[in-house]
Amino acid sequence: MSVNPLEALPIDELRRRSSTKWRKYPDDVLPLFVAETDFAPAPAITDRLRRAVELGDTGYTPPDPGIRDAYAAFAKRRFGWDVDPAHVRTTCDVMMGVVEILRSVTRPGDRVVVTPPVYPPFFECIPEAGAVVERVPLVDTGAGWKLDLPGIEASLAGGARAVLLCNPHNPTGTVHSKEELAQLADLAAAHDAVVVSDEIHGPLVQPDVAFTPFLAASSTAARIGYAVTSASKAYNLAGLKCALMVTAAEGTARVVRALPDEVEWRTGLFGALAGVAAFSPESDAWLDGLLARLDENRRLLADLLTEHLPGARYRVPGAGFLAWVDLSDFGWGDNPARTILRDAKVALHFGPLFGEEGKGHVRINFGCDPAVLRQAVERIGRLARS
């Protein structure tokens, strides 16, 4: 059954927003950098937050705001994954959850594997937890990207104590297969290590792609894994501050339960209320409409790049609203987004922030109106021809 895609808000209305996307740069810049989207919130979220404001319901987050049960039902409905609400705990945001878990499962100086190019805060949250980043880049197969399992095994054999996974992967939009994830779990278990999986983009996997939450990949993954997720990326709720730490075994659940109470106190009440509404069946049609729009936009971007930047290399992502584009052939240096910002007035995410593998690359946010995406690529195309 076809789904009507969401329509983005008019750009004049978007410029009234006070978030980073619309305040970092002047109005003559098209902002396609930070991971915020340009759509009106799901109606259930708007209604829930409006009621809270009208009630003055702006106090502390209660011990059980309902989001654990809401997420468990969502995971079952959307992913076919059985989550025990008793194995879910909340905190402020995904990176805070990652830091607190890593603090608990590593010792100062332990090495944690990351798979660049990868979300830039990974390089900061590991040192914040007292550990050291160990880079094992994704393997470029020519058709896509996959985990370098032999490389990860070598790191674990050499003493790395954890793998910080991005599933689905940011910035490439890669959705790791169940088989890869199960093999990763086996490698970690063989070396008495753990896997912490950032799954914030999980709700944004396209319907034609199979998404496997890490903890659902195998019984071993359930035993040695931790997942951290949120409604914030799919439903554009980053400012409301609520993330979920999920486990699937008693041993890992004990680790999360032992985290200081303050970790949970950092959960934003509005984030929890909005998350309950986002994960409710009421918001499923909205999410389906978003996925339909993102599907159209990810394919439109491929056509636009072919037309206006034929030297660009881009693979249509399987998840999310972020595109990883190689612009190395245009002579704009290691960080082409700087030149594009200055001369084309389009703000893209700086590729080198994602690791050495990001040199010559940009990340483009296509969670916007198709007309905005078209205008942005046309501007960059004119720069390339100048």
Side-chain angles (χ1 to χ4, degrees):
M1 182 178 67
S2 62
V3 176
N4 291 328
L6 287 188
E7 298 300 332
L9 294 170
I11 197 163
D12 289 346
E13 185 172 341
L14 290 166
R15 291 197 184 280
R16 292 164 51 197
R17 290 182 172 180
S18 57
S19 61
T20 292
K21 184 173 186 181
W22 299 101
R23 287 292 179 266
K24 183 166 183 177
Y25 297 110
D27 284 356
D28 62 343
V29 171
L30 289 176
L32 279 71
F33 67 113
V34 72
E36 299 179 24
T37 53
D38 294 352
F39 309 98
I45 294 173
T46 301
D47 291 346
R48 187 64 188 90
L49 293 176
R50 181 183 294 115
R51 291 201 307 274
V53 171
E54 289 171 350
L55 286 169
D57 190 8
T58 55
Y60 291 109
T61 308
D64 183 11
I67 194 165
R68 294 179 296 184
D69 290 304
Y71 181 72
F74 176 88
K76 180 65 174 178
R77 201 169 62 248
R78 305 290 297 198
F79 309 145
W81 178 30
D82 290 313
V83 172
D84 183 349
H87 284 188
V88 179
R89 200 172 181 196
T90 66
T91 190
C92 179
D93 56 37
V94 165
M95 284 300 99
M96 184 172 289
V98 167
V99 168
E100 296 300 339
I101 291 170
L102 287 176
R103 277 198 183 116
S104 297
V105 300
T106 63
R107 294 172 297 183
D110 280 349
R111 287 175 286 122
V112 177
V113 172
V114 299
T115 58
V118 75
Y119 184 49
F122 276 26
F123 298 107
E124 299 175 3
C125 73
I126 290 171
E128 184 182 346
V132 177
V133 173
E134 178 141 336
R135 301 169 64 260
V136 181
L138 293 180
V139 174
D140 186 338
T141 67
W145 292 270
K146 67 178 184 178
L147 297 171
D148 180 0
L149 292 172
I152 293 172
E153 182 176 24
S155 291
L156 295 171
R161 305 308 306 138
V163 177
L164 178 52
L165 181 69
C166 203
N167 177 47
H169 188 268
N170 172 8
T172 67
T174 300
V175 182
H176 301 303
S177 71
K178 182 176 182 178
E179 292 72 23
E180 276 187 290
L181 297 175
Q183 291 174 53
L184 175 62
D186 289 341
L187 294 177
H191 295 284
D192 197 26
V194 303
V195 175
V196 181
S197 186
D198 171 357
E199 301 192 346
I200 197 170
H201 293 272
L204 292 171
V205 175
Q206 285 293 331
D208 62 345
V209 180
F211 171 59
T212 302
F214 179 76
L215 300 181
S218 67
S219 58
T220 302
R223 179 170 58 82
I224 58 92
Y226 301 82
V228 191
T229 190
S230 174
S232 63
K233 203 63 66 183
Y235 300 89
N236 206 42
L237 305 175
L240 300 186
K241 296 300 180 183
C242 178
L244 304 167
M245 300 173 288
V246 185
T247 56
E250 187 51 38
T252 50
R254 278 197 302 270
V255 171
V256 173
R257 282 198 298 266
L259 294 176
D261 288 344
E262 188 60 32
V263 173
E264 190 168 302
W265 273 110
R266 293 168 186 157
T267 306
L269 177 58
F270 276 19
L273 296 176
V276 171
F279 291 136
S280 74
E282 281 184 274
S283 294
D284 281 356
W286 184 95
L287 180 57
D288 291 338
L290 173 64
L291 289 169
R293 167 55 63 210
L294 298 181
D295 181 33
E296 292 186 0
N297 282 7
R298 65 179 178 154
R299 299 176 193 280
L300 171 63
L301 179 58
D303 293 340
L304 292 172
L305 292 173
T306 297
E307 180 181 358
H308 298 284
L309 290 161
R313 289 181 287 277
Y314 160 66
R315 294 170 183 144
V316 174
F321 50 84
L322 305 170
W324 189 236
V325 183
D326 184 352
L327 299 179
S328 301
D329 288 352
F330 291 89
W332 292 330
D334 287 346
N335 193 1
R338 289 191 183 277
T339 299
I340 291 168
L341 175 61
R342 184 189 66 222
D343 297 336
K345 302 299 182 184
V346 178
L348 308 176
H349 210 315
F350 293 172
L353 293 179
F354 295 81
E356 288 289 317
E357 297 72 18
K359 289 181 177 179
H361 290 67
V362 296
R363 194 189 73 177
I364 301 175
N365 178 344
F366 58 83
C368 59
D369 190 295
V372 170
L373 186 61
R374 181 178 297 279
Q375 184 181 0
V377 177
E378 287 175 350
R379 287 188 186 186
I380 302 169
R382 287 195 294 270
L383 175 62
R385 294 188 297 273
S386 64

